[in-house]
Amino acid sequence: MKLGLNINTFSGSDALQGCLELTQGFGIRNVELWANNCAVIGESPSGFAFSGKDLDAAEKLLAKFDITVCCLTFGGGLDRGFAADRQGFAKEFVYAVEVAKRFGAGIINHYADEFFDGNGLDMAALEVMWKPAIRKAEELGIVLALENEAHDFTQSPKTMKKVIDHFASPSFKTNYDPNNYFH
């Protein structure tokens, strides 16, 4: 088991270097890396997308601090406008899988908060948004871990199981945050 620090918590106040200094100061050797931890160098459809982020600089800083990425987070499902472009979202999710492979992260945490109005479930839309990333994850040996949340369709274990069973892939699972089922 690896202890990893979710440095997204500190990304609003600290650049990646500050987050890694903090991580190292706690004696932690692994981080959960989000796209918004990386400096912007070009156009990006969302702060949660890895496109347009300086991944080379992030790699150099991680090496400098001798910290590895144990989990990559694709937070695109937290951005309503970004999630509304299903094809664009799917493309960025595939890219996130490639980024995870690049950084040596075997897991991508991801969300579905802003996919649908209310608590509806549209499997056809999920197919469009997730299936290409699932195929790429299977190819590269990455696990996509959907985080359950109290305010979207993943809010009940029964619905989460339905989604996981629908995709029936060893590369598509849940990270199971039991606390989120009780919010």
Side-chain angles (χ1 to χ4, degrees):
M1 177 195 295
K2 293 180 181 179
L3 173 64
L5 183 64
N6 179 350
I7 58 176
N8 183 55
T9 305
F10 309 104
S11 65
S13 60
D14 287 313
L16 182 56
Q17 178 158 334
C19 293
L20 296 177
E21 288 170 356
L22 181 68
T23 302
Q24 191 177 56
F26 285 135
I28 299 171
R29 310 295 334 142
N30 306 284
V31 294
E32 177 181 345
L33 184 70
W34 291 57
N36 54 343
N37 294 131
C38 303
V40 177
I41 59 169
E43 276 193 49
S44 184
S46 169
F48 295 114
F50 283 92
S51 291
K53 303 301 182 349
D54 195 344
L55 302 179
D56 292 336
E59 267 185 329
K60 288 176 186 168
L61 280 172
L62 287 158
K64 174 183 172 183
F65 286 94
D66 192 28
I67 293 174
T68 62
V69 177
C70 60
C71 176
L72 190 93
T73 294
F74 178 61
L78 301 170
D79 181 335
R80 182 173 297 225
F82 181 49
D85 174 9
R86 292 181 177 152
Q87 295 293 332
F89 182 95
K91 179 181 173 187
E92 286 296 327
F93 200 1
V94 168
Y95 184 57
V97 174
E98 293 166 349
V99 172
K101 185 67 172 182
R102 173 180 175 172
F103 281 92
I107 299 172
I108 295 179
N109 186 36
H110 65 109
Y111 300 87
D113 294 43
E114 299 293 339
F115 282 5
F116 314 118
D117 290 333
N119 292 321
L121 182 59
D122 181 346
M123 288 297 199
L126 294 179
E127 287 276 340
V128 170
M129 298 169 82
W130 289 343
K131 197 65 172 178
I134 292 169
R135 282 193 295 266
K136 181 58 81 172
E138 289 169 345
E139 175 188 324
L140 298 179
I142 306 289
V143 172
L144 308 178
L146 176 60
E147 181 157 343
N148 58 299
E149 291 291 345
H151 49 272
D152 66 27
F153 66 84
T154 64
Q155 66 187 338
S156 78
K158 183 178 180 180
T159 307
M160 178 63 88
K161 183 175 180 343
K162 181 178 179 178
V163 172
I164 299 299
D165 288 349
H166 174 82
F167 287 100
S169 170
S171 288
F172 189 82
K173 301 183 182 289
T174 178
N175 68 358
Y176 183 62
D177 185 334
N179 194 44
N180 285 349
Y181 286 131
F182 294 101
H183 278 279

